[in-house]
Amino acid sequence: MAKLPILTAPDPRLKRKSAPVERVDDEVRWLMDDMLETMYAAPGIGLAAPQVGVLKRVIVLDIEREGTSTGPIRMANPEIVDVSDEDATSEEGCLSVPEHYSDVERPARVTVRYLDRDGESRDLACEGLLAKCVQHEIDHLDGVLFIDRISALKRNIILRKLVKARKEKEREAAEDDAAAAPRSRRKV
Ligand code: GNR
Ligand code: NI
């Protein structure tokens, strides 16, 4: 298993639509395992393949509920086949939108159809945090972030802060580099 770097907004790869997997083979299973390792290390409760730069319809989840976790859930080609009339609003965050949180309204319950790690089709009825998270992850596969589901005003404030934070990080890295380089290799 390997921990993978997580892309952050605004990255054009996070806005693309991911392609279905043709079949769940070893390569897809390795991807799922690497994504789980990356998710646990972050730490997060879900992760979608485009967040690690792979534009395939693969997601992983592990949600703690009343002290017990679902355990690792691996899904290929997940689709929502049923939604509740009732909506629920709660605060969401995203590893690709670090350090920003906002209320998002979504259907309270959904049924998801997906291929498991053996390529078998399964249906999973989800409610609560699991329903929230699985919808958040499927959104990623369609190039949609939770900030696309809040007001344009809030979205733009968050995006500006993310751009600023990235520039600061790049500047710090460049300074560290210059300090670490021997004199002869420094570009003034
Ligand atoms: O770790 C995560 N927590 C979370 C909390 C509320 C709603 C959705 C999420 S998903 C997020 C990890 C992530 O970015 N997955 O794409
Ligand atoms: Ni996310």
Side-chain angles (χ1 to χ4, degrees):
M1 295 228 281
K3 194 164 133 313
L4 308 167
I6 297 175
L7 305 181
T8 55
D11 185 301
R13 285 167 287 181
L14 293 171
K15 301 303 296 171
R16 302 251 317 265
K17 197 172 161 73
S18 292
V21 304
E22 276 179 35
R23 59 192 185 91
V24 182
D25 54 16
D26 281 345
E27 203 182 315
V28 170
R29 282 187 282 268
W30 289 328
L31 171 65
M32 288 167 162
D33 288 349
D34 285 349
M35 286 170 58
L36 280 168
E37 184 175 345
T38 306
M39 181 191 81
Y40 289 128
I45 58 173
L47 194 70
Q51 293 182 278
V52 293
V54 179
L55 295 179
K56 288 184 182 166
R57 300 187 81 82
V58 172
I59 65 175
V60 294
L61 310 131
D62 189 348
I63 281 143
E64 186 111 7
R65 199 198 293 167
E66 287 156 15
T68 57
S69 89
T70 57
I73 301 175
R74 301 162 171 87
M75 297 185 176
N77 301 346
E79 36 172 343
I80 292 169
V81 294
D82 195 22
V83 301
S84 60
D85 291 333
E86 189 193 333
D87 286 342
T89 301
S90 66
E91 195 168 67
E92 294 196 16
C94 180
L95 296 170
S96 297
V97 187
E99 290 165 39
H100 293 278
Y101 305 89
S102 215
D103 273 351
V104 180
E105 187 178 22
R106 301 180 184 275
R109 293 174 300 282
V110 296
T111 302
V112 183
R113 182 164 297 161
Y114 65 97
L115 300 178
D116 69 11
R117 62 173 311 171
D118 301 314
E120 301 285 342
S121 179
R122 288 174 179 272
D123 284 5
L124 182 65
C126 307
E127 59 176 4
L129 188 56
L130 182 57
K132 187 118 308 216
C133 191
V134 80
Q135 292 176 81
H136 174 115
E137 303 313 337
I138 293 172
D139 267 355
H140 275 299
L141 306 181
D142 294 319
V144 175
L145 301 175
F146 82 88
I147 52 173
D148 296 316
R149 298 193 178 278
I150 64 178
S151 76
L153 181 66
K154 277 192 189 168
R155 173 166 62 250
N156 289 330
I157 290 169
I158 291 174
L159 282 171
R160 273 201 298 273
K161 286 182 180 166
L162 289 171
V163 170
K164 203 172 149 210
R166 177 178 305 178
K167 279 189 186 149
E168 262 163 39
K169 225 173 114 186
E170 280 168 3
R171 188 174 50 74
E172 278 165 22
E175 281 172 5
D176 288 353
D177 254 23
R183 275 233 157 264
S184 58
R185 278 180 42 221
R186 268 192 220 178
K187 293 179 193 143
V188 187

